[in-house]
Amino acid sequence: FTLDWFGKAFSDPDLLGGLFTSVRLGISSAVLATAIAMPAAMVLAWREVKLRTLVMCLLLAPIVVPQIV
């Protein structure tokens, strides 16, 4: 049992390119989701919004029914 394959994997430029692309995409999607979700949550919590129940149902639907995600 050795860890030599780690060295081989991290020396492969195609693998590193894919890894960095995945990390960049993950970080950017997390930042974008937070930037959208925080103001939406604050508005829903602090102000009276028409169709509040509908908006809450749409936002919580992926949690309640994870198969549609």
Side-chain angles (χ1 to χ4, degrees), residues 1-68:
F1 180 75
T2 66
L3 300 176
D4 292 337
W5 65 275
F6 276 111
K8 291 178 184 176
F10 288 120
S11 65
D12 184 11
D14 292 332
L15 184 67
L16 285 177
L19 177 67
F20 289 136
T21 300
S22 295
V23 168
R24 249 189 328 209
L25 184 61
I27 289 172
S28 62
S29 66
V31 168
L32 182 64
T34 302
I36 292 171
M38 285 300 295
M42 292 164 65
V43 166
L44 286 172
W46 293 341
R47 298 190 186 247
E48 286 299 320
V49 178
K50 290 183 180 179
L51 301 174
R52 180 187 204 139
T53 306
L54 176 64
V55 173
M56 291 296 291
C57 286
L58 290 174
L59 292 175
L60 295 175
I63 297 171
V64 175
V65 186
Q67 290 83 10
I68 63 173

